Amino acid sequence: MSKISLAVEVAGLRLRSPLMNAAGVLGMSPPILKRVYDSGAGAVVTKSIGPAPRTGHPNPTLVRVSCGALNAMGLPNPGAEYFVDEIKALKEMGVPVVASFFGGSVEEFAEVASTLSKAGADALELNASCPNVQEELGMLASDAGNVEKVTATVREETRLPLFVKLSPNVTDIKEIAMAAERGGADAITAVNTLKGMAIDINFKRPILTNTTGGLSGPAVKPVALRCVWEVAEAVDIPVIGCGGVTTWEDAIEYLLAGASALEIGTAVMTHGFEVYGQVNEGIRRYLEMNGFSGIKEVVGLAHQIGEEQDSRADRCSIRV
Ligand SMILES: Cc1cc2nc3c(=O)[nH]c(=O)nc-3n(C[C@H](O)[C@H](O)[C@H](O)COP(=O)(O)O)c2cc1C
């Protein structure tokens, strides 16, 4: 019996599976990202790359909390030029690469996007949403005008598929997603971490040097899923779900909410690289058992069924 294909097309990028790693959780070393690909991902996402070398925040930068992790890495990275060879190394190994990047100003975002496009990345993910850094633009994803401006400027620098990664730490994520779409984004990644903190009761002070950090893992899933749901209703471009995906059931929820692909981060720390293969197999079994012939048929289905129920309820309601 032939297996159902898990292939998807996201913003013109053809992937053999809808799964990718979430930026930063596994760093940027090509052999490690190759393991993600070999474990079943359709593409790998690099750590967010900035214009210049950056040390990030001093330790402690990562702490386990119930149902997840809190991190305040502060975007440590060796700068875009260094990444050129890393991207080339991944491409030589046959791995599709999504290069995640950030800047402190509109010009820096454009400059890094240009360098990474020339390095041979297959797609770019504009990180508009790190909650742990304060740059000229602040947390970019909290301002629709800035998101549109940066996206439009980057759009002029590259023809590659451009994902814009948003933050859950905003009042109305739909408004920000629409701004990214107007700016020329090809897909929205929803979402980055949720701002939080933890206190050491013996030292009587915040555990993270940065005081606050970004919450990831199962704890954020209901929030991230709601973000995907809202963004999928607000824009016509594909949505990539991210936040707490650990099991195939989580993945199916995200697909039903409107995600066309998924990024898995913290679950690799708790479940190992096998998580990609396990989630792939679970999705495949779900498709088979429910009579679907591919992922596309499931994407956003919960919205349609919701609408059908609403219209049935309308027909049944007694009007006075
Ligand atoms: C240690 C760590 C480092 C991260 N670094 C980045 C990063 O460089 N760029 C980025 O866009 N997101 C970064 N994130 C956020 C993740 O990509 C992801 O959006 C978030 O963790 C939610 O997904 P998860 O629950 O599957 O981990 C980081 C998360 C963690 C835990």
Side-chain angles (χ1 to χ4, degrees), residues 22-25 47-48 71 75 127 165 191-193 216-217 242-244 265-266:
V25 179
K47 178 160 190 54
S48 290
N71 90 86
L75 296 173
N127 179 3
K165 184 170 178 183
V191 282
N192 209 310
T193 52
S216 61
C242 179
T266 302

Side-chain angles (χ1 to χ4, degrees), residues 21-27 45-49 61-62 67-77 100-102 125-132 165-166 189-194 214-221 224 241-246 254 263-269:
N21 62 301
V25 179
L26 289 169
V45 185
T46 67
K47 178 160 190 54
S48 290
I49 303 164
T61 51
L62 181 69
C67 298
L70 265 176
N71 90 86
M73 311 299 286
L75 296 173
N77 80 96
S100 168
F101 71 105
F102 69 96
E125 185 174 84
L126 189 164
N127 179 3
S129 47
C130 183
N132 309 316
K165 184 170 178 183
L166 300 188
T189 305
V191 282
N192 209 310
T193 52
L194 194 60
L215 180 64
S216 61
V220 300
K221 200 199 87 186
C242 179
V245 180
T246 310
Y254 270 97
E263 294 181 355
I264 301 180
T266 302
V268 189
M269 296 195 234

Side-chain angles (χ1 to χ4, degrees), residues 134-201:
Q134 288 302 323
E135 306 285 349
E136 183 187 316
L137 294 167
M139 205 273 287
L140 178 62
S142 61
D143 184 298
N146 280 345
V147 166
E148 183 172 348
K149 189 161 67 178
V150 171
T151 308
T153 309
V154 168
R155 179 74 290 168
E156 284 176 16
E157 287 296 326
T158 181
R159 298 170 69 100
L160 292 180
L162 177 62
F163 311 163
V164 175
K165 184 170 178 183
L166 300 188
S167 169
N169 306 307
V170 294
T171 310
D172 184 1
I173 195 166
K174 302 187 291 298
E175 189 198 326
I176 313 287
M178 288 189 288
E181 186 179 38
R182 280 196 303 276
D186 297 303
I188 302 291
T189 305
V191 282
N192 209 310
T193 52
L194 194 60
K195 196 168 180 178
M197 73 179 294
I199 292 180
D200 185 316
I201 59 168

Side-chain angles (χ1 to χ4, degrees), residues 145-315:
N146 280 345
V147 166
E148 183 172 348
K149 189 161 67 178
V150 171
T151 308
T153 309
V154 168
R155 179 74 290 168
E156 284 176 16
E157 287 296 326
T158 181
R159 298 170 69 100
L160 292 180
L162 177 62
F163 311 163
V164 175
K165 184 170 178 183
L166 300 188
S167 169
N169 306 307
V170 294
T171 310
D172 184 1
I173 195 166
K174 302 187 291 298
E175 189 198 326
I176 313 287
M178 288 189 288
E181 186 179 38
R182 280 196 303 276
D186 297 303
I188 302 291
T189 305
V191 282
N192 209 310
T193 52
L194 194 60
K195 196 168 180 178
M197 73 179 294
I199 292 180
D200 185 316
I201 59 168
N202 296 313
F203 285 110
K204 304 172 187 66
R205 49 178 289 188
I207 296 177
L208 297 170
T209 320
N210 189 51
T211 306
T212 60
L215 180 64
S216 61
V220 300
K221 200 199 87 186
V223 175
L225 187 67
R226 182 268 301 168
C227 290
V228 166
W229 177 275
E230 291 186 349
V231 171
E233 293 203 332
V235 298
D236 292 324
I237 51 181
V239 184
I240 299 163
C242 179
V245 180
T246 310
T247 64
W248 66 265
E249 289 96 333
D250 296 331
I252 298 292
E253 274 192 83
Y254 270 97
L255 296 172
L256 290 169
S260 300
L262 301 163
E263 294 181 355
I264 301 180
T266 302
V268 189
M269 296 195 234
T270 49
H271 289 61
F273 288 95
E274 296 73 31
V275 71
Y276 298 99
Q278 289 161 359
V279 173
N280 272 341
E281 263 324 293
I283 297 176
R284 203 189 311 273
R285 269 199 318 276
Y286 176 88
L287 295 178
E288 271 165 10
M289 288 178 65
N290 286 274
F292 295 116
S293 58
I295 293 204
K296 217 171 156 186
E297 292 170 28
V298 185
V299 173
L301 202 54
H303 293 265
Q304 290 169 31
I305 291 179
E307 277 166 22
E308 278 164 26
Q309 280 165 350
D310 288 349
S311 74
R312 222 176 305 138
D314 269 357
R315 286 197 301 274

